[in-house]
Amino acid sequence: MTRIDLPDLEAMDRFGAAIAEKLRAGDVVALTGGLGAGKTTLARAIIAALGYAGEVPSPTFTIIETYDAPPLSLPVVHADFYRLEDPAELPELGLDDYRDGAVLIAEWPDHAGGFDHEAACLSITLETADQGRVAIAEPGADWVGREP
């Protein structure tokens, strides 16, 4: 487990870039934290660091947004599972099809049953702090040695 202080947006952008640099197809970045903790901000930083220059909307209402390679160096599925009431709803979304060969950035992963059991999962809990935010990163087995 690693604790990273994120005092401002520039620090969040640097952390997102550090994660993006280590990503491989099939990886999951599971973002946990309360409302306003910075999950979408970190997801945007990762997607931008992978080469996306456009607007990155929050997938709160669409649940899933996809980003292709190119222009990104890797395809990305950005999902926000906040609105899921039961993980059994996942098959209806076709998440497995979207994930094939892509990186999954999952906000509210617990609403989808979680991804911690996957070796390629980097779990990040974001918390508000006196000075900005704090990220607590827990790498799955496939992330050992390449943690950001």
Side-chain angles (χ1 to χ4, degrees):
M1 179 168 49
T2 305
R3 182 181 169 94
I4 302 106
D5 290 318
L6 303 168
D8 52 34
L9 282 175
E10 290 78 22
M12 186 77 83
D13 288 343
R14 285 191 303 275
F15 185 47
I19 293 168
E21 185 178 301
K22 305 290 185 174
L23 285 173
R24 301 188 293 220
D27 282 344
V28 177
V29 179
L31 303 175
T32 303
L35 291 170
K39 297 178 297 296
T40 301
T41 301
L42 181 55
R44 287 177 176 143
I46 295 167
I47 293 167
L50 289 170
Y52 191 75
E55 177 74 22
V56 176
S58 171
T60 300
F61 295 104
T62 59
I63 301 177
I64 293 175
E65 292 285 338
T66 60
Y67 300 88
D68 296 326
L72 274 65
S73 54
L74 286 166
V76 172
V77 177
H78 180 197
D80 183 332
F81 298 116
Y82 182 75
R83 292 181 38 230
L84 284 188
E85 295 182 18
D86 188 322
E89 296 176 57
L90 276 178
E92 295 173 28
L93 299 174
L95 182 64
D96 288 341
D97 294 333
Y98 287 116
R99 286 186 65 184
D100 188 32
V103 169
L104 171 63
I105 301 173
E107 298 185 41
W108 300 95
D110 54 317
H111 289 220
F115 298 91
D116 301 23
H117 62 282
E118 295 186 26
C121 183
L122 175 63
S123 295
I124 299 172
T125 301
L126 292 163
E127 300 174 350
T128 56
D130 291 338
Q131 297 288 325
R133 293 180 172 41
V134 171
I136 300 162
E138 296 186 50
D142 287 355
W143 276 90
V144 174
R146 63 179 174 115
E147 303 98 300

